[in-house]
PDB file of all heavy atoms in Angstrom:
ATOM      1  N   ARG F 294      13.796 -27.903 -37.446  1.00  0.00           N
ATOM      2  CA  ARG F 294      13.983 -27.670 -36.014  1.00  0.00           C
ATOM      3  C   ARG F 294      13.865 -26.181 -35.744  1.00  0.00           C
ATOM      4  O   ARG F 294      14.250 -25.344 -36.562  1.00  0.00           O
ATOM      5  CB  ARG F 294      15.355 -28.195 -35.560  1.00  0.00           C
ATOM      6  CG  ARG F 294      15.504 -29.713 -35.635  1.00  0.00           C
ATOM      7  CD  ARG F 294      16.897 -30.150 -35.197  1.00  0.00           C
ATOM      8  NE  ARG F 294      17.028 -31.602 -35.173  1.00  0.00           N
ATOM      9  CZ  ARG F 294      17.299 -32.331 -36.239  1.00  0.00           C
ATOM     10  NH1 ARG F 294      17.488 -31.732 -37.423  1.00  0.00           N
ATOM     11  NH2 ARG F 294      17.422 -33.642 -36.147  1.00  0.00           N
ATOM     12  N   ALA F 331       7.552 -12.532 -25.348  1.00  0.00           N
ATOM     13  CA  ALA F 331       7.683 -11.931 -24.027  1.00  0.00           C
ATOM     14  C   ALA F 331       6.494 -11.037 -23.716  1.00  0.00           C
ATOM     15  O   ALA F 331       5.969 -11.053 -22.594  1.00  0.00           O
ATOM     16  CB  ALA F 331       8.973 -11.119 -23.958  1.00  0.00           C
ATOM     17  N   GLY F 346      -5.346 -14.700 -34.526  1.00  0.00           N
ATOM     18  CA  GLY F 346      -5.985 -15.716 -33.737  1.00  0.00           C
ATOM     19  C   GLY F 346      -4.992 -16.635 -33.035  1.00  0.00           C
ATOM     20  O   GLY F 346      -5.366 -17.564 -32.354  1.00  0.00           O
ATOM     21  N   HIS F 360       9.917  -8.246 -43.107  1.00  0.00           N
ATOM     22  CA  HIS F 360      11.005  -8.586 -44.024  1.00  0.00           C
ATOM     23  C   HIS F 360      11.395  -7.381 -44.883  1.00  0.00           C
ATOM     24  O   HIS F 360      12.571  -7.174 -45.177  1.00  0.00           O
ATOM     25  CB  HIS F 360      10.597  -9.771 -44.905  1.00  0.00           C
ATOM     26  CG  HIS F 360      10.779 -11.101 -44.247  1.00  0.00           C
ATOM     27  ND1 HIS F 360      11.310 -12.185 -44.881  1.00  0.00           N
ATOM     28  CD2 HIS F 360      10.479 -11.514 -42.987  1.00  0.00           C
ATOM     29  CE1 HIS F 360      11.367 -13.224 -44.051  1.00  0.00           C
ATOM     30  NE2 HIS F 360      10.850 -12.832 -42.901  1.00  0.00           N
ATOM     31  N   VAL F 378      -2.358   3.166 -52.661  1.00  0.00           N
ATOM     32  CA  VAL F 378      -2.525   3.503 -51.245  1.00  0.00           C
ATOM     33  C   VAL F 378      -3.811   4.286 -51.016  1.00  0.00           C
ATOM     34  O   VAL F 378      -4.539   4.038 -50.039  1.00  0.00           O
ATOM     35  CB  VAL F 378      -1.315   4.300 -50.732  1.00  0.00           C
ATOM     36  CG1 VAL F 378      -1.495   4.689 -49.266  1.00  0.00           C
ATOM     37  CG2 VAL F 378      -0.029   3.487 -50.902  1.00  0.00           C
ATOM     38  N   GLN F 421      -0.303  -6.233 -50.403  1.00  0.00           N
ATOM     39  CA  GLN F 421      -1.630  -6.680 -50.819  1.00  0.00           C
ATOM     40  C   GLN F 421      -1.778  -6.690 -52.331  1.00  0.00           C
ATOM     41  O   GLN F 421      -2.359  -7.608 -52.912  1.00  0.00           O
ATOM     42  CB  GLN F 421      -2.713  -5.781 -50.210  1.00  0.00           C
ATOM     43  CG  GLN F 421      -4.131  -6.210 -50.575  1.00  0.00           C
ATOM     44  CD  GLN F 421      -5.179  -5.400 -49.846  1.00  0.00           C
ATOM     45  OE1 GLN F 421      -4.987  -5.006 -48.706  1.00  0.00           O
ATOM     46  NE2 GLN F 421      -6.291  -5.150 -50.497  1.00  0.00           N
ATOM     47  N   SER F 424       1.748  -9.210 -53.916  1.00  0.00           N
ATOM     48  CA  SER F 424       2.196 -10.509 -53.420  1.00  0.00           C
ATOM     49  C   SER F 424       1.393 -11.656 -54.039  1.00  0.00           C
ATOM     50  O   SER F 424       0.275 -11.486 -54.509  1.00  0.00           O
ATOM     51  CB  SER F 424       2.064 -10.562 -51.897  1.00  0.00           C
ATOM     52  OG  SER F 424       0.718 -10.441 -51.493  1.00  0.00           O
ATOM     53  N   GLY F 436       2.062 -19.888 -47.959  1.00  0.00           N
ATOM     54  CA  GLY F 436       2.960 -18.773 -47.745  1.00  0.00           C
ATOM     55  C   GLY F 436       2.707 -17.601 -48.662  1.00  0.00           C
ATOM     56  O   GLY F 436       1.743 -17.566 -49.413  1.00  0.00           O
ATOM     57  N   PRO F 542     -18.741 -31.425 -77.051  1.00  0.00           N
ATOM     58  CA  PRO F 542     -20.034 -32.121 -77.253  1.00  0.00           C
ATOM     59  C   PRO F 542     -21.056 -31.795 -76.163  1.00  0.00           C
ATOM     60  O   PRO F 542     -21.536 -32.672 -75.449  1.00  0.00           O
ATOM     61  CB  PRO F 542     -19.616 -33.593 -77.200  1.00  0.00           C
ATOM     62  CG  PRO F 542     -18.462 -33.614 -76.248  1.00  0.00           C
ATOM     63  CD  PRO F 542     -17.735 -32.318 -76.476  1.00  0.00           C
ATOM     64  N   ASP F 633     -11.540 -30.757 -66.565  1.00  0.00           N
ATOM     65  CA  ASP F 633     -10.203 -30.150 -66.582  1.00  0.00           C
ATOM     66  C   ASP F 633      -9.651 -29.972 -67.995  1.00  0.00           C
ATOM     67  O   ASP F 633      -8.938 -28.999 -68.260  1.00  0.00           O
ATOM     68  CB  ASP F 633      -9.236 -31.004 -65.762  1.00  0.00           C
ATOM     69  CG  ASP F 633      -9.432 -30.823 -64.265  1.00  0.00           C
ATOM     70  OD1 ASP F 633     -10.241 -29.947 -63.895  1.00  0.00           O
ATOM     71  OD2 ASP F 633      -8.779 -31.517 -63.480  1.00  0.00           O
ATOM     72  N   VAL F 699       4.710 -37.807 -64.800  1.00  0.00           N
ATOM     73  CA  VAL F 699       6.158 -37.584 -64.721  1.00  0.00           C
ATOM     74  C   VAL F 699       6.639 -36.795 -65.940  1.00  0.00           C
ATOM     75  O   VAL F 699       7.484 -35.895 -65.827  1.00  0.00           O
ATOM     76  CB  VAL F 699       6.908 -38.930 -64.614  1.00  0.00           C
ATOM     77  CG1 VAL F 699       8.404 -38.753 -64.840  1.00  0.00           C
ATOM     78  CG2 VAL F 699       6.652 -39.546 -63.242  1.00  0.00           C
ATOM     79  N   PRO F 711       7.191 -31.693 -55.221  1.00  0.00           N
ATOM     80  CA  PRO F 711       6.852 -32.930 -54.507  1.00  0.00           C
ATOM     81  C   PRO F 711       5.931 -33.866 -55.305  1.00  0.00           C
ATOM     82  O   PRO F 711       6.007 -35.087 -55.140  1.00  0.00           O
ATOM     83  CB  PRO F 711       6.157 -32.413 -53.238  1.00  0.00           C
ATOM     84  CG  PRO F 711       6.803 -31.093 -52.985  1.00  0.00           C
ATOM     85  CD  PRO F 711       7.026 -30.507 -54.355  1.00  0.00           C
ATOM     86  N   VAL F 723       6.364 -49.578 -60.029  1.00  0.00           N
ATOM     87  CA  VAL F 723       5.609 -50.402 -60.985  1.00  0.00           C
ATOM     88  C   VAL F 723       6.521 -50.944 -62.065  1.00  0.00           C
ATOM     89  O   VAL F 723       6.439 -52.108 -62.443  1.00  0.00           O
ATOM     90  CB  VAL F 723       4.458 -49.582 -61.619  1.00  0.00           C
ATOM     91  CG1 VAL F 723       3.764 -50.390 -62.710  1.00  0.00           C
ATOM     92  CG2 VAL F 723       3.439 -49.171 -60.552  1.00  0.00           C
ATOM     93  N   VAL F 755      -5.878 -48.195 -71.926  1.00  0.00           N
ATOM     94  CA  VAL F 755      -6.026 -47.017 -71.075  1.00  0.00           C
ATOM     95  C   VAL F 755      -7.265 -46.203 -71.430  1.00  0.00           C
ATOM     96  O   VAL F 755      -8.119 -45.962 -70.572  1.00  0.00           O
ATOM     97  CB  VAL F 755      -4.770 -46.105 -71.173  1.00  0.00           C
ATOM     98  CG1 VAL F 755      -4.945 -44.855 -70.307  1.00  0.00           C
ATOM     99  CG2 VAL F 755      -3.538 -46.876 -70.750  1.00  0.00           C
TER     100      VAL F 755
END
Side-chain angles (χ1 to χ4, degrees):
R294 294 178 176 83
H360 278 224
V378 179
Q421 181 173 326
S424 64
D633 284 354
V699 168
V723 174
V755 179

